[in-house]
Amino acid sequence: MAPGFGPRERGALLAGRAAGQVVRRLGRGGGTALPGLIAGRLAPTLIESAAAQLGHGVVTVTGTNGKTTTAHLLAAIARGAGLRPLANRSGSNLERGIVSSLVDAVDPGGSVHDAARRLGVFEIDEAHWPLLAPRLRPRVALFLNLFRDQLDRYGEVDSIAAAWRAAVSRPGAVPTLVLNVDDPSVAQLGEDTRGEVIGFGIEDPAAALPAPEHATDARFCRCGATYEYDAIYMGHVGLWRCRGCERRRPAPIVSAERVHLGAEETQFDLVIGERRVPVAIPLAGLYSVYNALAAAAGAHALGLPIEATARALADSGPAFGRQERFHVEGRTVRLLLAKNPTGLNEVLRALEAAWPPLTLLAMLNDGIQDGRDVSWIYDADVERLAGLVGKLVVSGRRAEDLALRFALAGIEPAAVDTDTRVALQTALLATPPGGRLEVVATYTAMLEVRELLASMSGAGHYWEHDE
Amino acid sequence: MNDLARTIRVVTLYPDVMSIYADRGNLIALRARCRQYGIGCEVTAVGIGDGLPADADLVLIGGGQDQEQRRIAADLAARGVRLRDWAEDDVAMLTICGGFQLFGHFYRTAEGEELPGVGIFDVTTVAPAPGAPRCIGDVLADAGDLGEVVGFENHGGRTYLGPHARPFARMRHGFGNNGDDGTEGAVYREAIGTYLHGSLLPKNPAVTDRLILAALRHRYGPGVKLETLPPDPYAERAHRAAAAVARRRGRPNP
């Protein structure tokens, strides 16, 4: 029997498993959370005992944007290198999502199958990382970025930064931190750890924005002064330096150079120390470069070879709902998740690289997971798409708010409908046969429209999507 | 006077620091509405240490995190005399959340630090004891002749009206100034203070029109008229949708 698994844990496992099977059999979703919720309640130490068995340890991925894609890419790299990644699925990134993935991976005696080859790759909600990291004891922790997101749920951005700082400064907290050096809030965590730090960043001022964006979520250094930038890649992320003290962007160990942003794919040189390998990924947008780079830096921290990284990145597909493509009624549909100002700005920027005129379905929900406050759409630069959109259909539970936002940006919707099914049909009809429909949606809106797209195109349910 | 010849001068205070909940949507809506009226809209952004223009017809300030409020408080207080003169001179003002708090007498943070305000509104704001919940949620409130206003509030500080303050609106759904007395925001002459994000002006065109008219009168004299246009249909629908959401899930008020 596995260490740490007493009768209590075993009972909890069985209960969690049974719940997952019931949910799936009823067709009520993938049961990605409920088994964890039940097992976690019954055996609160299940995380610790199962995670400790993973032969290659645990990597955590946290930050506001890019967690799912980064974890997806890192798992693909690990798989290519012969490991068996164990990951939480589909953005189920709170405690229960992690317990659910562990429940699925252990046998009734509590032993993880094939434990020696296993690597935990867990994306963790940024507000929950300080609570979960001590229980998962990661070897490597990736920090991607910190943007404003769901302020109605999490309070202020500053409080998350402070909680990260406190958590990584505990002695022995995480042996290796992988940090985005371009984000000053993340880069400065390097001051708080006694562990190893591997920085990643983009070294290509040609990929910078022509002017700073309004959505900028870190303005003040720890010393209190403001930052200045030689180049801004997105939001407050770029080649920064403090006006008041010696702090500046540390030189990255893992970097992307010669970035080329295409409509469908992205190319860059992956540079690690003396090594340089050209990489092409089938994902658009500079944010995809950051996600790929973070995964590459994570792989480097795990000691995986750069060739395996480049190969896996080139072969990888999109993660669930993140630039996934569907073929529906003779049209190609690309689904883009956008859930906060910087995320939406980056998606809009990726759309600028696509062929105009765009046919666009934009969806705004206001569920707990989207953020109940829809104000944030005014912080994104929707104006960017003015002149590029041929047909716009707006949907989601707050369709009227989003329609107004587009109208104020000079982009008049052709149709507004809160019913997802009707809006999708209208948008498909507005798309020329053989043409492309771009769907931009907040989290729960993405789940709804993806379910429709999956059934129309024959793609799988979300719980069947990942490994 | 021909509308095309009319221009209002707008000052936005600390737009980069004080706009955590998208209060720049107010400026976007204001510009769009001015375009509909054929009124020019000249905008000057004023940051920390920048000079104020000699004159203004409309002043905007949004909300910020505690850290950001702390940063602007001294700079704002140094402009207090000018801003109070402007308010007495019927300059239109729209101050939201953290900006509203600092247009009152003071804001006392959770650490007990008192940030001085410019005192245009007879209100004081105190952060609640640590651990007390923030006032977060959808709002529907009755703003008298402006009708129903809708928005979203998210604030820790509790604001209390002094004897000379008039509320901006009466709460129907949501917390309002302090969650107790049913008041929302404050009004002094042509200045409005409120907790409503959403953003406020895009979805509440009656408030936008009120501010534009006050700004025009400040610039061109009290006899100036504004031939009010019907609200933009998208604005009207977004207003109705937000009102329905607040009725469904906003905290009810007696």
Side-chain angles (χ1 to χ4, degrees), chain A residues 75-89:
Chain A
I77 297 168
R79 203 173 297 124
L83 306 185
R84 269 192 77 187
L86 171 63
N88 50 334
R89 290 177 229 175

Side-chain angles (χ1 to χ4, degrees), chain A residues 148 151-152 156-158 214 219-220 224 366 372-373 375 378-381 398 400-401 404-405 407-408 412-413, chain B residues 15-16 19-22 24-25 28 32 65-67 71 136 152 154 197-199 202-203 234-235 238 241-242 249:
Chain A
R148 74 180 91 168
L151 292 172
D152 55 313
E156 306 186 330
V157 178
D158 293 341
H214 174 79
R219 291 175 196 280
F220 307 114
D366 63 353
R372 290 185 180 279
D373 183 4
S375 304
Y378 286 93
D379 276 330
D381 300 319
R398 297 302 288 268
E400 288 87 355
D401 278 86
L404 173 60
R405 177 71 188 95
L408 285 169
E412 184 105 357
Chain B
D16 51 346
S19 183
I20 185 76
Y21 303 101
R24 90 157 162 167
I28 292 172
Q65 309 188 65
D66 271 12
Q67 187 199 178
R71 241 163 210 289
I136 303 176
F152 196 96
N154 186 347
H197 307 287
S199 302
K203 285 187 277 222
Y234 291 106
R249 69 183 188 193

Side-chain angles (χ1 to χ4, degrees), chain A residues 196-394:
Chain A
E196 184 192 10
V197 172
I198 293 177
F200 67 90
I202 292 177
E203 297 277 16
D204 185 356
L209 294 166
E213 292 169 315
H214 174 79
T216 296
D217 303 326
R219 291 175 196 280
F220 307 114
C221 178
R222 290 183 185 187
C223 79
T226 52
Y227 299 121
E228 60 186 350
Y229 288 84
D230 291 329
I232 297 181
Y233 295 123
M234 64 181 68
H236 60 267
V237 174
L239 307 181
W240 59 274
R241 133 177 83 191
C242 175
R243 287 196 173 96
C245 71
E246 296 298 300
R247 287 188 181 89
R248 50 162 53 229
R249 169 188 183 258
I253 293 170
V254 178
S255 62
E257 294 181 17
R258 301 199 310 138
V259 173
H260 173 77
L261 303 175
E264 299 285 333
E265 64 155 33
T266 302
Q267 295 157 12
F268 60 90
D269 283 0
L270 173 62
V271 180
I272 305 182
E274 300 295 300
R275 303 293 309 279
R276 172 186 297 266
V277 179
V279 170
I281 51 171
L283 299 169
L286 194 64
Y287 68 107
S288 301
V289 175
Y290 271 112
N291 295 337
L293 199 54
H300 177 66
L302 293 168
L304 304 178
I306 190 171
E307 290 79 12
T309 296
R311 208 167 40 237
L313 290 177
D315 293 343
S316 66
F320 178 83
R322 280 87 174 166
Q323 301 196 22
E324 264 190 292
R325 289 177 183 76
F326 301 86
H327 297 283
V328 178
E329 296 178 7
R331 280 91 170 160
T332 303
V333 182
R334 179 164 64 165
L335 179 53
L336 300 124
L337 172 68
K339 54 194 181 78
N340 47 46
T342 300
L344 181 54
N345 275 342
E346 285 308 299
V347 163
L348 297 171
R349 210 161 141 202
L351 288 176
E352 281 181 293
W355 287 106
L358 302 171
T359 311
L360 180 63
L361 168 60
M363 303 181 63
L364 176 66
N365 273 4
D366 63 353
I368 288 172
Q369 289 168 293
D370 306 286
R372 290 185 180 279
D373 183 4
V374 296
S375 304
W376 64 273
I377 56 177
Y378 286 93
D379 276 330
D381 300 319
V382 177
E383 288 75 6
R384 257 184 178 141
L385 290 188
L388 300 178
V389 179
K391 278 264 166 57
L392 168 67
V393 178
V394 181

Side-chain angles (χ1 to χ4, degrees), chain A residues 165-199:
Chain A
R165 240 177 275 164
V168 303
S169 67
R170 277 188 214 112
V174 186
T176 304
L177 296 188
V178 174
L179 303 178
N180 180 351
V181 296
D182 296 348
D183 183 333
S185 315
V186 170
Q188 288 174 30
L189 292 173
E191 297 174 25
D192 305 311
T193 178
R194 281 178 235 171
E196 184 192 10
V197 172
I198 293 177

